[in-house]
Amino acid sequence: MLTLFANNVLLRGFLGKNADAPPSHGITEDSFAVLLLATVSGRWDLGNNEWIPRTDFHRIICPGPFFCGMVRGMRRGDYLEVEGELRALEQERGVVVAGERFPVKHSTYAVHAVRLQRLDRPEALVDYGDSDDGNREVQP
């Protein structure tokens, strides 16, 4: 069956900074934690024959006491998979033009988590080229 609307986001990446969660004694039903998740993509520049990487940082809102307790120990560099909904937050800001202040609406986006899973760090192999004896040297 086809659903009329869908708003699903699946991200896999590394935490860009430590989780921002309230202390145990400050958690209420309305509490939330915030994560900053980095994902990497890129494109191949054919003219220069090189890979141009792009890192995006995604704000993840983890609502409720369960998520607040779950993410408290998460640190920068942890590898996570997050599933959630993309939501826009519209804020009004003042902009000054020629000494006069004007209200301007500004949208920011965040993923509101519905599932969060800590993953094992992938083993990345780096090829440092040929060694002196002609054997390939691959180091983790």
Side-chain angles (χ1 to χ4, degrees), residues 95-117:
V95 175
V96 178
V97 177
E100 193 173 344
R101 187 174 196 88
F102 297 94
V104 174
K105 289 186 179 179
H106 176 72
S107 293
T108 58
Y109 294 88
V111 174
H112 284 243
V114 295
R115 186 181 66 82
L116 182 67
Q117 181 179 1

Side-chain angles (χ1 to χ4, degrees), residues 56-128:
D56 291 310
F57 288 91
H58 309 276
R59 186 170 185 232
I60 311 294
I61 306 297
C62 302
F66 173 76
F67 277 128
C68 288
M70 180 182 183
V71 305
R72 184 174 298 114
M74 293 187 178
R75 300 284 177 244
R76 180 176 185 239
D78 285 351
Y79 188 49
L80 304 177
E81 182 174 87
V82 178
E83 185 178 343
E85 295 180 347
L86 183 64
R87 295 193 188 168
L89 173 64
E90 202 168 84
Q91 299 173 328
E92 195 166 288
R93 294 184 176 178
V95 175
V96 178
V97 177
E100 193 173 344
R101 187 174 196 88
F102 297 94
V104 174
K105 289 186 179 179
H106 176 72
S107 293
T108 58
Y109 294 88
V111 174
H112 284 243
V114 295
R115 186 181 66 82
L116 182 67
Q117 181 179 1
R118 188 180 289 189
L119 303 172
D120 291 333
R121 288 182 67 89
E123 293 195 28
L125 298 178
V126 178
D127 184 357
Y128 291 99

Side-chain angles (χ1 to χ4, degrees), residues 19-88:
D20 185 13
S24 297
H25 62 277
I27 295 177
T28 65
E29 285 298 315
D30 296 334
S31 296
F32 61 93
V34 179
L35 303 175
L36 189 63
L37 191 73
T39 59
V40 178
S41 61
R43 64 180 180 84
W44 191 262
D45 182 0
L46 293 175
N48 293 324
N49 197 27
E50 67 179 341
W51 178 253
I52 310 293
R54 172 186 167 142
T55 302
D56 291 310
F57 288 91
H58 309 276
R59 186 170 185 232
I60 311 294
I61 306 297
C62 302
F66 173 76
F67 277 128
C68 288
M70 180 182 183
V71 305
R72 184 174 298 114
M74 293 187 178
R75 300 284 177 244
R76 180 176 185 239
D78 285 351
Y79 188 49
L80 304 177
E81 182 174 87
V82 178
E83 185 178 343
E85 295 180 347
L86 183 64
R87 295 193 188 168

